[in-house]
Amino acid sequence: MKGLRPVGILGTGSYTPERVLSNFDLEKMVDTSDEWIVSRTGIRERRISAPEQASSDLAFEAAKKALAKANVSAEQLDMIIVATVTPDMSFPSTACLLQDKLGAKKAGAMDLSAACTGFLYGITTAAQFIANGLYKHVLVVGVETLSKITNYKDRNTCVLFGDGAGAAVLGPVKEGYGFQSFELGADGSGGQLLCLPAGGSRIPASTESVANDLHYLSMAGGEVFKFAVRVMNSATEAVLAKAGLERDEIDLLVPHQANKRIIDSAVQRFGLSEDKVVVNLDRYGNMSSASIPVALDEAVAEGRVKEGDNLVFVGFGGGLTWGAALLKWSTTPAEGSNA
Ligand code: COA
């Protein structure tokens, strides 16, 4: 963000539903085992939203906490960006529903669709508005209720996903801190590898689409795995190079939480010790766009993030999409900017 106003994260918040679905619960639902799931993915349990809970409800809980941490009121928000593949409905956007719940009357609101990379696309977009001076405070939420599009008869997918929301309030920070670089990428030719086939304009909802299980998430796991390992590494390299930093200058890696083996490959590649990587997928599984902001919020709460630390966020997902961001951490607002 050279030559522009520095932008950082002023506060974070997260929310995960109360209901826990463990690997042992899944053993009773499909032909799987705790041993298989833990050894192949690292996941032990995940959270499941209540039938009456939609994505905007989870987003609301996370957003309230992030605003309080940032010491920014809902009325001070200029824009709300919600990254999700499980919106409450096709339209209005979940961001508009959240704007109403928060009473953020002055804020514009839009949803952003980049699957598990959604939070990274969201913060990259938000940061531009603030860096160029158009806006001061932008709320970015990654939220998913993936349990609502997961087929609990399909062992290939149902063991992987969970529900949750993570939020961040972005605003101007003092000189020398904030986002140093971004990297976003997409390869639409791999779109079929991870998708929700029906319910859009290609295959509108019908009794046939429901009978054929086309309203459930579909995934080619092996191919997504290879893609994920590749782009985790290349996107991390890219943000380091753009920021002019070396590998050993990473203080904390906050990766997308899809599979422990994917995270481990990046950790090995960048020579990071365990204390420099945030891993919470054992408790939440893959929460898609919510994974990175929930992991970040937990790391902040645990005191693992200090002023001046170099944080790398990196993720990948449906689209196919990928992205990374490098943030020199400070939650101190730029002087006079918190109006
Ligand atoms: N329990 C038991 N067996 C299972 C299973 C489960 N929950 N899910 C799949 N299997 C079986 C398959 O049926 C297959 O059996 P087969 O060989 O008889 O056909 C076998 O396990 C697949 O084994 P393998 O290919 O060695 O699995 P894997 O090591 O690739 O792990 C994933 C599978 C899905 C965990 C892994 O590919 C993965 O994590 N992919 C990336 C997924 C991802 O990150 N998606 C989200 C991106 S944002």
Side-chain angles (χ1 to χ4, degrees):
M1 309 293 276
K2 286 191 181 73
L4 295 168
R5 157 158 96 157
V7 182
I9 290 179
L10 304 177
T12 59
S14 61
Y15 171 81
T16 51
E18 269 173 44
R19 187 180 154 212
V20 174
L21 183 71
S22 72
N23 291 351
F24 300 103
D25 296 327
L26 284 164
E27 282 181 357
K28 294 175 202 139
M29 297 161 70
V30 287
D31 180 14
T32 190
S33 66
D34 175 60
E35 194 278 327
W36 192 95
I37 302 169
V38 173
S39 64
R40 301 299 172 102
T41 71
I43 300 165
R44 294 181 186 276
E45 57 186 42
R46 66 290 287 146
R47 300 299 179 95
I48 305 294
S49 50
E52 69 279 8
Q53 271 182 320
S55 287
S56 68
D57 302 318
L58 277 58
F60 180 49
E61 298 304 325
K64 279 189 293 187
K65 293 181 194 170
L67 286 166
K69 280 276 170 56
N71 198 22
V72 169
S73 69
E75 292 77 21
Q76 287 175 292
L77 288 176
D78 299 303
M79 173 60 83
I80 297 173
I81 299 175
V82 172
T84 186
V85 293
T86 46
D88 287 27
M89 54 191 98
S90 284
F91 70 92
S93 69
T94 301
C96 280
L97 302 173
L98 178 61
Q99 186 239 21
D100 180 45
K101 282 179 202 282
L102 289 169
K105 294 197 173 63
K106 287 194 284 180
M110 61 176 171
D111 281 6
L112 192 153
S113 174
C116 303
T117 323
F119 183 73
L120 288 164
Y121 270 76
I123 56 175
T124 307
T125 305
Q128 313 313 312
F129 286 126
I130 300 164
N132 72 22
L134 183 66
Y135 293 148
K136 274 185 186 157
H137 298 121
V138 182
L139 171 70
V140 181
V141 183
V143 58
E144 304 293 356
T145 45
L146 292 172
S147 64
K148 315 258 182 183
I149 58 164
T150 296
N151 182 353
Y152 286 96
K153 292 191 181 113
D154 175 12
R155 68 177 184 173
N156 291 296
T157 54
C158 76
V159 302
L160 301 174
F161 300 103
D163 300 344
V169 178
L170 274 67
V173 292
K174 58 189 179 185
E175 210 55 54
Y177 293 84
F179 287 102
Q180 306 295 306
S181 57
F182 298 101
E183 170 79 3
L184 295 178
D187 176 5
S189 71
Q192 299 301 318
L193 298 177
L194 184 48
C195 64
L196 183 65
S201 56
R202 180 68 60 196
I203 309 176
S206 66
T207 47
E208 200 188 343
S209 67
V210 173
N212 289 328
D213 287 341
L214 296 178
H215 293 272
Y216 291 127
L217 178 159
S218 135
M219 184 181 72
E223 287 181 70
V224 173
F225 189 98
K226 279 179 259 166
F227 151 76
V229 169
R230 184 163 45 82
V231 296
M232 282 270 282
N233 291 331
S234 60
T236 303
E237 297 278 13
V239 286
L240 282 173
K242 284 182 191 174
L245 294 181
E246 299 297 328
R247 294 170 179 202
D248 60 5
E249 290 177 278
I250 299 175
D251 295 301
L252 198 66
L253 182 76
V254 189
H256 176 44
Q257 308 282 314
N259 187 316
K260 182 69 166 53
R261 288 153 54 209
I262 295 172
I263 295 176
D264 284 347
S265 78
V267 166
Q268 273 171 13
R269 165 88 172 246
F270 292 97
L272 300 172
S273 53
E274 257 180 39
D275 60 313
K276 289 193 169 184
V277 186
V278 184
V279 177
N280 66 4
L281 57 72
D282 50 322
R283 288 175 288 127
Y284 301 123
N286 179 349
M287 297 185 288
S288 188
S289 67
S291 278
I292 290 175
V294 171
L296 172 64
D297 185 51
E298 290 196 343
V300 170
E302 288 162 12
R304 296 180 67 184
V305 186
K306 293 179 193 63
E307 174 115 350
D309 278 356
N310 290 317
L311 273 59
V312 172
F313 308 128
V314 60
F316 54 86
L320 298 169
T321 56
W322 61 92
L326 199 150
L327 172 65
K328 195 170 184 61
W329 184 260
S330 173
T331 55
T332 309
E335 222 149 281
S337 73
N338 210 13

